[in-house]
Amino acid sequence: MNEGVGVELENLWIRFGEFVAVRDANVDIRGGEFFSFLGPSGCGKTTILRAVSGFLNPSEGHVRIGGRDMAGIGANKRPTALIFQNLALFPLMKVWENIAFALEVKGVGAAERRKRADELLDLIALPGQGDKMVSELSGGQKQRVAIARALCAEPQVLLLDEPLSALDLKLRQHMRTELREIQQRVGITFIYITHDQGEALTMSDHVAVMKEGVIDQIADGRTIYDDPATAFVASFVGENNVFRGIVKSVDGNMAMVSTRRTGELNGRIASAAAGQLKPGDEAMMFIRPEALHMGSAETPVDRRITARIIHEEFEGQAYNVFLEGAEGKEIKMSLVNRGQSRLSGAGNEIAMMFDPDQAVVLPMGELAAE
Amino acid sequence: MKGFFERNGPLLGGYLVIAVGFWVLVLIILPQLAMLDISFRNNLPPALVGSEQDIYTLSNYEHFLKGNPGNPDRLALFGIETEVPFNRVDLAVFLKTLLAAVFVTLFDLILCYPLAYFLGQSAIGASGRVFALLLIIPYWVNEILRAFAFRIIFGDSGVINTVLVGLGLIDQPYDFIRENVALYAGLGYAYILLMIFPIYNAIESLDHNQIEAARDLGSPWWRIHWRVVIPFAKPGITSGCTMVFMLTAGALAAPQILGGPSSLWFTQIIYQWFNTGQNWARGSAYAVVLLITCIIFVLAMMRLFRVKIGEIAK
């Protein structure tokens, strides 16, 4: 198998007429890593993928693969292979012909092609299925054939455009693990496009979060989730309770925020905003539902939120509690199901507490649309 | 059958049965059977129809193969002359007609495939589709008038000759009619829409990602067409080719109007037997030969290219 090579985007701009699809993207993807672009539909992530695969020419900037500038090199000459959202398997060819198409293009003989296809069928755990037609396979099997077809081209970079979106939940979760395993086995660079944060966080070494053509943050999944760089990232990745307010005081990397409706709360300033916030600035504090716990009257006020229960929802692994704070402020708390009995029910006022380290303070910014 | 009437109601159901029955029986089966029947009879004056001379005979088909009794031509097999008489004129015209129809079909296919691909798959093609519809407008004019228009275009003082002579490319007007250029151009044009639209329909439904996937896997453009687009468009291509071939082989107006003095189309021979020759029996026999040969030819081609008849109907 090929060694994975790095992919570099430098000052990449892509415009369609007046519309700017990608705005000054700078990304450095290391060879052999699993890299994801995460963002809502229309944020420009697929456009970036098409620029890397060569179906689209950047308006400005450079795409480099393995240090080599790709300008003027067509899609059929690049060391990349793309897995399409709808897979785009060839319906009139047998499974093995699909897989070995890249070899057919290179003029490899039929016996050799068949042998290679069978090897790849073993890799994707579909041994002996080569003579079937594509239409005879299930969704998950087609998925794997698409991966094998792309791998057969021996690409140095594999590009995946939301390939799991058509599968049902169970299969999707299974394929996540499988994709990650295949990536580690073949060792090449994977660039993955998704709007599903679960996929991005579970599989990737690094994630780039995009919004309207702009990359807001590039980091590993843990950092994206725990230490978001912008209000958009905080609200798009996972769920978050947002408290808007004014910074009252700053102490090192901690800040006291005077929120509009929930009083003064203490939180940690996100690394990306370090040194940017000073007393009097407008700020947002993000506390995830699972960062809220049951508190009591003894909890210090700067880490306590009181609110009235509206209703509870049982999700299996967790109870989601929907509450209403002062002046109708909506708050969600998520309690892990440890077999405890449910809360005392709607209408009751309860105190919740949080660890200020898990309350992220960021400058005021645009949130992700619901 | 009961379900059919329950679904459509007695009125609509009855209408459908009668209309389809009328169409198939009265407009297709009965005329063909009548022609088949006549083709096996002698050509008799009306007074003798039904007399003892009115018997079934193979003489009309025999004439197609052997010609008139005094015909000096003899069939030669592998260079050895046999005693079997041989209708050189009619058989040559028959063969030439079929070959010409194949040629016109291929010409239309080569012309239409790239165009249909462009209209069906490229983004610019999408806006060009309106213009493709404009292609239909000339077909509002009658076929015979269109053939005359071609005669005018290709004539000695026609547009093409005027331009060529005017530019000094040739000294004398080129006789497009005598050289059958006008005939082939006219035939190629006459049924071109029947080629372009089926292929366009097929290609238009091809997922563009498949083309990109093939390209991404390193395929040059010709292999993308060979392995992805053409197999997908095959039913459309077959359907277009079948229609163009059948109609060209059976065309009468274009050969009549645009054909050179030395060119004879097989349909013209049939027409002569019916019209000037006043021999309906022989004309029918010739027509049956043309029909059956064309059907066999098309079925053989479909077999060769592995297309099922159901796929074409799509």
Side-chain angles (χ1 to χ4, degrees), chain A residues 50 76 82 86 89 104, chain B residues 207 209 212 215-216 227:
Chain A
R50 291 179 67 79
N76 52 352
L82 174 59
N86 67 351
L89 293 172
E104 187 185 321
Chain B
D207 172 15
N209 282 348
E212 292 200 336
R215 192 144 69 93
D216 188 56
R227 291 289 276 153

Side-chain angles (χ1 to χ4, degrees), chain A residues 106-169:
Chain A
K106 287 180 192 149
V108 175
E112 178 65 26
R113 291 204 312 260
R114 184 68 212 239
K115 196 172 137 256
R116 186 79 189 102
D118 284 340
E119 281 168 22
L120 281 161
L121 280 166
D122 286 342
L123 177 84
I124 56 167
L126 285 176
Q129 310 265 23
D131 281 316
K132 284 192 176 169
M133 295 307 283
V134 172
S135 55
E136 295 173 71
L137 301 180
S138 71
Q141 289 172 330
K142 281 182 193 161
Q143 187 64 63
R144 282 182 270 173
V145 170
I147 295 168
R149 183 178 72 174
L151 290 177
C152 192
E154 304 207 339
Q156 292 169 315
V157 180
L158 189 67
L159 309 168
L160 303 100
D161 186 6
E162 306 207 23
L164 304 186
S165 53
L167 304 179
D168 60 60
L169 181 67

Side-chain angles (χ1 to χ4, degrees), chain A residues 50 55 76 80-82 84 86 88-93 97 101-102 104-105 149, chain B residues 207 209-221 223-224 227-228 231-232:
Chain A
R50 291 179 67 79
F55 288 115
N76 52 352
T80 58
L82 174 59
F84 289 79
N86 67 351
L89 293 172
F90 307 126
L92 299 170
M93 295 184 206
E97 290 176 304
F101 185 77
E104 187 185 321
V105 169
R149 183 178 72 174
Chain B
D207 172 15
N209 282 348
Q210 292 204 3
I211 295 166
E212 292 200 336
R215 192 144 69 93
D216 188 56
L217 292 168
S219 184
W221 64 269
R223 193 186 289 276
I224 296 177
R227 291 289 276 153
V228 179
F232 189 84

